Amino acid sequence: MAAADPETAAALRGEVAALRMRVQELEAENQRLARIASTCTCGFKEGSVGSITAHHNVKFHQNSTMEKDLSSPFDHTVISNANEMQCNRNADDNGLPEDSSKHTKRTGRKVGILSHCPKRLVALKVMYFGQRFYGFSSEGNIEPTVESEIFKALERAKLMVANRKESCYSRCGRTDKGVSATGQVISLYLRSNIKDVGGDMLDERSEIDYVKVLNRILPRDIRVLGWCPVPADFHARFTCLSREYKYLFWKGDLDILEMQKAASKFIGEHDFRNFCKMDAANVSNYRRHITEFTISACDRRSNNDELCSMTIKGSAFLWHQVRCMVAVLFLIGQGLESPSVVDSLLDIMKTSRKPQYKMAPELPLILQSCLFDKANFMCSADASRSLTEHLNDEYRHHMLQAEIFHIASSCLPFPEPNSSETPQKKRNHIPLLSRETEPSYEERISKVKAKLADNLK
C-alpha cells in the first residue's frame, strides 16, 4: 500500500491529539461524577460512571493504532464527524429508551441528557394554543403545562445537555392558564453539531434543525417557529426589550371610541398596582411603561357582529395586568364607567386600594411577540413548509367545528317574541370607585413581614 502524504499524516496526528485531549476531559468529568455518586442514594453506582470514559478509551486506542500505521487505508470522515457519532454511540450503548423522560433501572440516571456532547446557548420562538394548558410555567406541578410539554420533547429528542437549572433555562413570559402565544421565547443550552460554537466562521446549515426535530415530537397545539444562537449573557426575560399582547373580542354594543379614549390614558409610565394581581412578597415596583394601546377591527364578521382586537405593547407587564386593563375598558365600552376612571385608578395617592372587579376572560389573550436586540430567528425551508401545512390543517379543522356550531344554532326552535313579556333588568352596576377594595401594598407587605417574623421564632 502507498504511504500517506505528509499533509495527510500531519492532519491525522492533529485529529488524534484532539481526541487525546477529549479523553482527558472525559476522565476529569468521570472523577467529578464519581465523587457525586459516592454520596448518592438513588442507586447510581460508581462503576457505571466510568462506562463512558472506558468507551472513549477503547476508541482512543483504536485511533492511536491508526496513527502508528498511516499507510493503512483510512476514511477521513470518521474523525471529522467523531463528535456527533460519539454522542449517538453513547446514547445507544447506554441503552437510552425512546421515551427519555424516564430513569434507567440500572443506574438511576436521568436519561435524555447528553452532558458530554458539544452545546450552545439557543433561543427558541414558541407558539402555543393555551386552551387545554394550565398556563406556561410548570412550577405549579399541575399538568399539562406548555413548559412541561416542551421539556418532554427536548429530552425525548436527546437535545438536553444538563438539567433545567444547569442548562441556564429562561423564559420571556409566564402566561396564565388558557392564554395563547405566537411569539413566546425561551433560551437554554442544547446539544449542537458544531464543536467550536465560539468560532468566527460557523456554517449554521450543518447545525441540528431544532425546529424540525422538536415539531415532530411536540403535541399539535405547541410549535417551535424558529431558533437563534445567542450570547452567554442572554436571558429570555431580562434582555427582552418589549412585549406585545393582543386581546380579541366581539364588538357588540361596545362604544369603541370611548374605549380608545380610555386606552390612550395607559400609554406612558404609570403605577399599575390597581390593574394587576398584587404579589407583594416578590414585587415591590409596580411602575411599568406602556408604549402602545390601540383598538381596531379584525375584518372578521359573524351574525352581524364584528371581531375586534386590542394591541398592547410595553417593556414589561405585571401579573394579570393586561386582563385587568381590558376588564375596565369593557366597563367603559358598556357605558357603565367613564374614561376618567382610568385616571383615578392610576393615581395611587387618590386610589391606594384596588377596587374589587372581575378580570377579562383569558382565552382571547395572545402573547404575540417579544423583541430582542440582534436576535434573528431561523427556520429551515423544510421546517417552514411543515409549519405552514400544520397551521392550514388546524385552521380547516377548527373552521369545520365552527360550521357545525353554526348549523346547530340554525336548527334551534326560536320562539316568536312576546310583547307582553317584560325584559329582564340588568344587574345594577356598582361604580368601581364605590366598591369594596383589596388590601393596599403597604398592608400586604406588612403581613408578609409579620409572617416571616413568626417563622423565625
Side-chain angles (χ1 to χ4, degrees), residues 277-334:
K277 184 173 181 179
M278 197 175 295
D279 182 12
N282 298 300
V283 180
S284 58
N285 180 16
Y286 291 88
R287 298 192 70 83
R288 296 294 185 269
H289 188 205
I290 303 296
T291 57
E292 179 182 334
F293 203 132
T294 56
I295 305 174
S296 59
C298 294
D299 195 25
R300 293 282 191 276
R301 301 190 69 88
S302 176
N303 295 331
N304 298 320
D305 204 351
E306 187 175 18
L307 186 66
C308 297
S309 69
M310 303 184 198
T311 301
I312 308 104
K313 295 182 182 179
S315 56
F317 292 87
L318 296 161
W319 191 8
H320 293 166
Q321 181 182 341
V322 174
R323 291 169 61 192
C324 286
M325 292 190 295
V326 170
V328 173
L329 290 182
F330 281 160
L331 293 175
I332 294 170
Q334 296 172 62

Side-chain angles (χ1 to χ4, degrees), residues 104-382:
T104 59
K105 293 181 180 179
R106 182 176 58 186
T107 65
R109 289 186 294 114
K110 183 78 169 180
V111 298
I113 297 179
L114 305 179
S115 58
H116 52 281
C117 293
K119 64 181 180 180
R120 72 188 312 180
L121 189 59
V122 170
L124 300 174
K125 181 182 288 187
V126 183
M127 172 185 68
Y128 51 88
F129 303 93
Q131 187 169 9
R132 76 178 182 93
F133 296 108
Y134 289 92
F136 183 84
S137 172
S138 58
E139 294 174 358
N141 296 321
I142 303 177
E143 298 285 347
T145 65
V146 179
E147 200 171 65
S148 64
E149 293 294 333
I150 291 174
F151 273 95
K152 287 176 185 176
L154 289 169
E155 291 177 355
R156 185 177 175 188
K158 300 179 177 66
L159 292 176
M160 296 289 291
V161 293
N163 60 36
R164 189 179 307 193
K165 183 178 180 181
E166 293 174 348
S167 66
C168 298
Y169 170 72
S170 62
R171 56 176 176 255
C172 184
R174 183 177 175 176
T175 54
D176 301 329
K177 174 184 176 183
V179 177
S180 301
T182 57
Q184 173 74 279
V185 173
I186 65 172
S187 64
L188 74 168
Y189 277 97
L190 295 179
R191 179 166 63 92
S192 172
N193 276 345
I194 302 174
K195 186 174 182 180
D196 182 17
V197 296
D200 294 332
M201 298 297 292
L202 291 181
D203 184 3
E204 299 294 359
R205 291 173 297 179
S206 63
E207 184 56 283
I208 297 171
D209 192 340
Y210 298 109
V211 176
K212 184 177 180 180
V213 169
L214 288 170
N215 285 343
R216 285 177 173 175
I217 302 172
L218 286 165
R220 295 187 65 83
D221 43 9
I222 304 176
R223 280 296 177 270
V224 176
L225 301 182
W227 74 277
C228 176
V230 291
D233 60 351
F234 181 90
H235 192 285
R237 178 184 175 190
F238 297 116
T239 57
C240 180
L241 300 177
S242 68
R243 297 158 174 85
E244 178 179 337
Y245 283 89
K246 190 175 288 290
Y247 193 94
L248 304 174
F249 66 98
W250 292 103
K251 179 181 177 181
D253 296 327
L254 295 172
D255 188 333
I256 301 299
L257 291 178
E258 285 292 283
M259 291 173 65
Q260 182 62 74
K261 180 180 177 181
S264 301
K265 297 178 181 293
F266 288 122
I267 297 176
E269 184 175 312
H270 305 281
D271 190 309
F272 286 94
R273 67 182 63 192
N274 290 324
F275 292 93
C276 72
K277 184 173 181 179
M278 197 175 295
D279 182 12
N282 298 300
V283 180
S284 58
N285 180 16
Y286 291 88
R287 298 192 70 83
R288 296 294 185 269
H289 188 205
I290 303 296
T291 57
E292 179 182 334
F293 203 132
T294 56
I295 305 174
S296 59
C298 294
D299 195 25
R300 293 282 191 276
R301 301 190 69 88
S302 176
N303 295 331
N304 298 320
D305 204 351
E306 187 175 18
L307 186 66
C308 297
S309 69
M310 303 184 198
T311 301
I312 308 104
K313 295 182 182 179
S315 56
F317 292 87
L318 296 161
W319 191 8
H320 293 166
Q321 181 182 341
V322 174
R323 291 169 61 192
C324 286
M325 292 190 295
V326 170
V328 173
L329 290 182
F330 281 160
L331 293 175
I332 294 170
Q334 296 172 62
L336 301 174
E337 295 285 347
S338 166
S340 63
V341 75
V342 173
D343 297 312
S344 299
L345 291 173
L346 289 175
D347 186 348
I348 62 169
M349 299 301 293
K350 179 180 179 181
T351 313
S352 60
R353 292 165 166 264
K354 177 189 174 183
Q356 295 180 356
Y357 59 89
K358 189 177 181 180
M359 292 186 298
E362 71 277 1
L363 192 62
L365 180 59
I366 307 165
L367 174 57
Q368 184 158 298
S369 65
C370 304
L371 179 64
F372 296 87
D373 185 28
K374 299 179 181 178
N376 299 313
F377 289 92
M378 298 175 285
C379 181
S380 67
D382 191 17

